[in-house]
Amino acid sequence: MTCAVIAMLCANILADTLGLLMACVVVSTICCCSSFWALPLVIAKANVFGYLQQAVYINIASPLMAFYLNSNHCPGNLPNFSYSFYNTVAGVIGNVAGLAGVTAFNYIFSKRSYRLTFCVTTFAQVLGGTTDIIMVKRWNLYIGIPDHAMYIWGAAVVSEVCYMLGYMPMVVLVSRLCPRGSESVVYALMAGFASLGHSTSASLGAILMEYALPVFKMQDDGSRCNFDNLPLLLFVCNVCAPPLVLPLSLLLPKGRICDDIDIDSKVVRKKVGEEVMAGEAGELSSPLPASAECAKATVAQDGHVKRMEI
């Protein structure tokens, strides 16, 4: 994992876009293969799924920020948000919306299977990604919704809730799969793989903007105001790419989110429940402790020896 992070760091600093693409492919292949070699099968499958889930949700935050803030001072009808609104106001509202998303996840998906939950939350993330397309195409102005209101409701609220709904299942799964005695190591390893997938998604976004769909690229007149490809880029990255990981949900355990999972990917909820019910019915027998047995002792009282039971 450390070598993979260092390799990606060096590739981002030293390599060109084509070299970055090659580094992404090599590092991804080595990490996924080494997971099946070094980890138990159920943990390795979840590890690969978590990595690919983050990787296919391609990160293109930089052109979106340039569009919303109009960093290149382009003419035309752009949102022209201030930094205080974009970072502070929307950030605070987004954090509150994220807490609401965590609460909603607990009530909606706590008794659902991992596979169903990931399918539903992936489509929820796709729905959240469409709000940026609406603003870039300026459709919100056609229906009379101002940019600030649309951004708060769309990117800061809906997108954040959908993101947390998609983020929570993997967090719960990672915590369930950590074996007893090595929880911190396994949790750190799986969380590191997810972070590596996020870095890979940023690299894939840079590759797309370099070779396929350039956005805010330097023009002949020296300006960087061409964002004609931004709606299509958002559609590819936010709508088309995330569902690619859905067939890989078969790698996940079959259990529900509220179930405990052993190292063989088997649900232990039923066994524990039967033991609890049997214990409540008095069907479980346990040996009485020695202190609970009736013992006889000889005690001297008033000069007489008397046998009594305790």
Side-chain angles (χ1 to χ4, degrees), residues 123-178:
F123 284 111
Q125 286 183 297
V126 171
L127 177 64
T130 58
T131 58
D132 291 323
I133 300 176
I134 293 174
M135 289 202 64
V136 171
K137 296 292 290 184
R138 316 305 287 150
W139 290 338
N140 60 300
L141 298 180
Y142 295 153
I143 58 179
I145 301 178
D147 287 331
H148 289 75
M150 184 64 192
Y151 184 80
I152 289 295
W153 174 249
V157 176
V158 175
S159 296
E160 190 66 24
V161 170
C162 294
Y163 172 77
M164 293 307 298
L165 288 177
Y167 176 74
M168 285 301 297
M170 182 52 65
V171 174
V172 177
L173 179 60
V174 169
S175 64
R176 296 286 188 187
L177 291 178
C178 292

Side-chain angles (χ1 to χ4, degrees), residues 97-268:
L99 294 176
V102 174
T103 305
F105 172 82
N106 186 38
Y107 281 100
I108 298 173
F109 297 108
S110 61
K111 297 185 183 300
R112 306 297 178 184
S113 66
Y114 285 101
R115 297 176 181 179
L116 176 63
T117 301
F118 272 108
C119 291
V120 174
T121 54
T122 298
F123 284 111
Q125 286 183 297
V126 171
L127 177 64
T130 58
T131 58
D132 291 323
I133 300 176
I134 293 174
M135 289 202 64
V136 171
K137 296 292 290 184
R138 316 305 287 150
W139 290 338
N140 60 300
L141 298 180
Y142 295 153
I143 58 179
I145 301 178
D147 287 331
H148 289 75
M150 184 64 192
Y151 184 80
I152 289 295
W153 174 249
V157 176
V158 175
S159 296
E160 190 66 24
V161 170
C162 294
Y163 172 77
M164 293 307 298
L165 288 177
Y167 176 74
M168 285 301 297
M170 182 52 65
V171 174
V172 177
L173 179 60
V174 169
S175 64
R176 296 286 188 187
L177 291 178
C178 292
R180 187 181 299 275
S182 57
E183 295 90 344
S184 59
V185 175
V186 175
Y187 190 90
L189 183 62
M190 297 185 72
F193 257 81
S195 299
L196 183 61
H198 185 73
S199 300
T200 304
S201 71
S203 301
L204 293 176
I207 293 167
L208 278 177
M209 288 186 288
E210 178 70 21
Y211 289 106
L213 299 169
V215 179
F216 293 116
K217 196 172 183 179
M218 181 71 72
Q219 303 297 312
D220 295 335
D221 57 356
S223 64
R224 293 179 176 269
C225 296
N226 185 6
F227 56 91
D228 295 337
N229 292 327
L230 186 56
L232 182 58
L233 182 65
L234 288 170
F235 180 77
V236 171
C237 297
N238 293 352
V239 178
C240 297
L244 295 177
V245 79
L246 290 181
L248 297 178
S249 61
L250 296 176
L251 296 174
L252 300 175
K254 296 181 180 179
R256 302 183 302 174
I257 290 179
C258 60
D259 295 336
D260 291 327
I261 302 172
D262 61 11
I263 201 65
D264 297 322
S265 186
K266 296 180 180 179
V267 177
V268 298

Side-chain angles (χ1 to χ4, degrees), residues 53-123:
Q53 183 200 26
Q54 293 292 329
V56 298
Y57 200 82
I58 302 175
N59 186 3
I60 50 171
S62 58
L64 270 179
M65 180 182 294
F67 172 79
Y68 286 130
L69 299 177
N70 196 7
S71 304
N72 299 318
H73 305 287
C74 300
N77 187 16
L78 273 71
N80 292 300
F81 293 154
S82 63
Y83 280 96
S84 59
F85 172 80
Y86 186 79
N87 292 322
T88 305
V89 177
V92 171
I93 296 176
N95 290 333
V96 176
L99 294 176
V102 174
T103 305
F105 172 82
N106 186 38
Y107 281 100
I108 298 173
F109 297 108
S110 61
K111 297 185 183 300
R112 306 297 178 184
S113 66
Y114 285 101
R115 297 176 181 179
L116 176 63
T117 301
F118 272 108
C119 291
V120 174
T121 54
T122 298
F123 284 111

